[in-house]
Amino acid sequence: ITSIGESPLDERLLYVGTDDGLIQVSEDGGASWRRTDVTALPGVPARAFVNDIRADLFDPNTVYVALDHHKSGDYRPFLYKSTDRGRTWRSIRGDLPDRHLVWRVVQDHKNPQLLFAATEFGLFFTLDGGSRWVKF
């Protein structure tokens, strides 16, 4: 396990990411788990490493994940959002530059559209939920 995210809105909702390409979701406080291979996320290579997984602070159905595949020489940023508790995912990489693998994603505690991405070479923020990123 490389990252654990607990929903601040539903204490029974847990997200877990691993270093071997798995995302696991529990909606009953850990009694049972739904497993997703990262290849189910559009464009993510097999066995990509889950660097960070975060439950949304405003919507109990939304979760964010940052992945990396640099051990295979792939430094692209992999940043995704799910609005159905990890059943389907869409990229929020937007215009993050190539070769900026993402280590962390953090949501602002007041503005749900304000996200921060810590990458290998800088810190970025978006005011529109991930379409356009600005480097600090």
Side-chain angles (χ1 to χ4, degrees), residues 3-59:
S3 186
I4 300 173
E6 177 185 12
S7 171
L9 305 172
D10 180 354
E11 66 183 20
R12 297 174 55 78
L13 180 57
L14 306 169
Y15 297 97
V16 171
T18 68
D19 64 355
D20 59 352
L22 297 176
I23 295 171
Q24 306 245 12
V25 181
S26 176
E27 298 180 72
D28 56 12
S32 62
W33 295 87
R34 176 173 28 91
R35 175 181 162 162
T36 301
D37 191 288
V38 295
T39 57
L41 285 67
V44 176
R47 299 183 59 85
F49 189 103
V50 177
N51 282 335
D52 198 16
I53 193 160
R54 302 275 179 130
D56 192 273
L57 301 177
F58 302 90
D59 177 6

Side-chain angles (χ1 to χ4, degrees), residues 22-103:
L22 297 176
I23 295 171
Q24 306 245 12
V25 181
S26 176
E27 298 180 72
D28 56 12
S32 62
W33 295 87
R34 176 173 28 91
R35 175 181 162 162
T36 301
D37 191 288
V38 295
T39 57
L41 285 67
V44 176
R47 299 183 59 85
F49 189 103
V50 177
N51 282 335
D52 198 16
I53 193 160
R54 302 275 179 130
D56 192 273
L57 301 177
F58 302 90
D59 177 6
N61 297 314
T62 299
V63 59
Y64 303 91
V65 67
L67 305 106
D68 102 55
H69 199 236
H70 81 274
K71 291 181 181 180
S72 296
D74 184 352
Y75 293 88
R76 292 177 292 163
F78 295 102
L79 190 54
Y80 291 83
K81 176 180 180 178
S82 171
T83 56
D84 57 8
R85 297 187 176 199
R87 288 175 178 83
T88 61
W89 297 86
R90 71 174 176 85
S91 175
I92 57 169
R93 172 193 173 170
D95 59 357
L96 282 173
D98 287 337
R99 300 190 57 79
H100 275 259
L101 71 95
V102 180
W103 292 107

